[in-house]
Amino acid sequence: MTARIVEVRQAVLKKNDLAARALRARWAGGPLVVSLVSSPGAGKTTLLAATLARLRAEGAAVAALVGDLATDRDARALAATGAPARQITTGTVCHLDAEMVAAHLDGWPPATGDGGEGAVAAGVDTLDYLFIENVGNLVCPSSYDLGEDLRAVLLSVTEGEDKPLKYPTIFNTSDLALITKTDLAAAAGFDRAAALANLEAVRPGMAVLEVSAKSGAGMEAWLELLRTRQPEKARRASITAAP
Amino acid sequence: MTARIVEVRQAVLKKNDLAARALRARWAGGPLVVSLVSSPGAGKTTLLAATLARLRAEGAAVAALVGDLATDRDARALAATGAPARQITTGTVCHLDAEMVAAHLDGWPPATGDGGEGAVAAGVDTLDYLFIENVGNLVCPSSYDLGEDLRAVLLSVTEGEDKPLKYPTIFNTSDLALITKTDLAAAAGFDRAAALANLEAVRPGMAVLEVSAKSGAGMEAWLELLRTRQPEKARRASITAAP
C-alpha cells in the first residue's frame, strides 16, 4: 500500500512539475510571480494586503490569487485594496498546485481602473506583480512548484522560533523568510537570535526580512526586494513616479 | 489520475479506521486518551507540558506521544516535566495515523518513579491519561482517527478569528476547542466574540475553553474537564490526594 501511494504521489508531482514549467514559460516576460507560504495565521493575507496597496500606490499593476480550503474571505480582504484578487478553493486539499493556478488564469484579471495609477489591463501577462497566497500549511505546499519566481515563507513571532527545525522542507524550498508580526515580539517573548540561528541551520545564507504589516516596520525593505527582483517593472514604476 | 488518488486515499483511510478501532478497544478500560491538533505554533507543546506537570502533581499517571516531521524537540520539552514522552517522527507526512501510534506503544512507557506521586507502571494501559500531540497542521490530521476519546483543537489568539471558517473539517472533527495564548489577546487585538461566533457557526454547541499556559488562566477548567471525562481515574486521583 505504501509503495503504491509513493508511486501515485510521484506521478502527481511529475504532472505538477510539467504544469509549473508551462506557467514559468508563460510568465518569462511577464509579471514577477511571488508565492507566500506559512502556518495558518502567520499573517499572509495582512502582509499581502499591505503589499498590494503600496505597490498600487506607486503605479504597479498587481493582482493576487489566494488558496483556501473553504470561504473566499481572503480574496475579499485583498480586493478591498482595489487590486484584483481571486480565490482558489481547494476543498480538502492542503495546498495549491500548478494546475489549479493555471485553471484560474483564463480571462483574469479583467481590465480595471481608468488607465491611471494601479490600473490593470486584461490578462495576467500584463501584470507587473502576481502574488499567490498558498493554503496555510507548513507541510503540503513544499512539494508543489507553482511556477513562481520567488517563494517567501512567513514565520510569525508568536509561533515559536523552532519552526524551521520542525518543518525543514518548506524552509528549504523557499527563497526568502519573512519574520512577521514583529510588533508582537516583546509581548510574545520572541527570541530573535534563536529564530535566525534556526533559519540559518536549515538553509544557510537564506535571506531574512523582519516585518510588521500592522506598524509598517520593515515593509520598505520587503518592497525594495520585490522592486529589485523585477528590474524592468521597477524601472517603469520609477519613471511613473518621477516628478 | 484524480479518481485513482481518491481510491487510494479511501483505502488508506479504511485501513486507518481499522487500526484506530483496535486502539480504542485496547484502551477501553485504560487511560483517557486526548489528542491535540492545531496550526504549527498554536501552543500545543506548552499547554501539554503544563497539563502533564499539573496532573502528575496530583498523582495521576500520565504520558505523551508527540508527532513531528523532524526533530525530537517536543518530546524533550515534555520529558522535562518528568512524564514519559515519546516522539513519532513522520518525515514528510503531515499527520499521525493510528498505525504510527500503535507502533510506538510496545514496551512504552517504561516503569518510572518510586511508586509515589506521578509514578508510572510499565505499559500504556496502566496510565490514567495518555496525550497525543499531532503534527502542527489544520488540514491533514482531520481525516485520521487515532482511537482517542477526546480531540481538542487549539486556536491561538494570534492566528486570526477566521480559522474555523477556513479550516472547517478539523473543527468539525474535534470535540472541544481551546482558545490559547489568551495572555496575548489584547496585544494581538483578538476579537473574542468573532472567534466564538465562528466556532459556533462551524460546530454549533462546541465546548470552548480559553486558556493561557503562560499565565495559568483557564488551566483549572481544562484540567477539571479532563478529570470529569475519566471518572474512575479522577476518583483514584482524589483518593490518593486525600489527607
Side-chain angles (χ1 to χ4, degrees), chain A residues 5 8 12 39-41 68-69 71 73-74 94 136-137 139 158-159 162-163 165-167 181 184 187 214, chain B residues 4-5 8 12 39-41 68-69 71 73-74 94 136-137 139 158-159 162-163 165-167 181 184 187:
Chain A
I5 295 171
V8 172
V12 172
S39 299
D68 258 316
L69 270 66
T71 85
R73 292 174 69 91
D74 287 354
C94 51
N137 201 299
V139 184
T158 59
E159 66 188 290
D162 57 355
K163 293 299 163 294
L165 302 179
K166 292 171 68 178
Y167 301 87
K181 306 194 191 183
L184 291 174
K214 205 181 204 175
Chain B
R4 196 171 159 217
I5 294 172
V8 171
V12 172
S39 300
D68 257 316
L69 271 67
T71 85
R73 292 173 69 90
D74 287 353
C94 50
N137 201 298
V139 185
T158 58
E159 66 188 292
D162 58 354
K163 292 299 163 293
L165 303 178
K166 293 170 69 178
Y167 300 87
K181 305 193 190 183
L184 291 174

Side-chain angles (χ1 to χ4, degrees), chain B residues 12-28 33 96-102 143-149 151:
Chain B
V12 172
L13 287 178
K14 192 174 172 194
K15 199 177 171 199
N16 186 76
D17 287 342
L18 293 174
R21 198 182 301 169
L23 286 174
R24 199 164 272 122
R26 172 177 181 165
W27 290 330
V33 181
L96 293 176
D97 65 34
E99 289 192 327
M100 292 180 203
V101 170
S143 308
Y144 292 84
D145 183 357
L146 303 180
E148 66 268 61
D149 298 301
R151 180 184 287 186

Side-chain angles (χ1 to χ4, degrees), chain A residues 29-31 58-62 119 121 125-129 227 230-242:
Chain A
E58 57 193 59
V62 296
D125 310 297
T126 67
L127 294 171
D128 297 320
Y129 299 92
R227 294 183 202 113
Q230 180 53 295
E232 194 199 324
K233 307 301 165 74
R235 198 162 54 244
R236 192 192 302 167
S238 72
I239 291 166
T240 308

Side-chain angles (χ1 to χ4, degrees), chain B residues 1 7 22 51 56 67 80 85 94 145 156 180-181 187 209 214 240:
Chain B
M1 171 54 71
E7 205 178 280
T51 304
R56 270 173 58 80
C94 50
D145 183 357
S156 72
T180 59
K181 305 193 190 183
L209 293 176
K214 206 181 203 174
T240 307

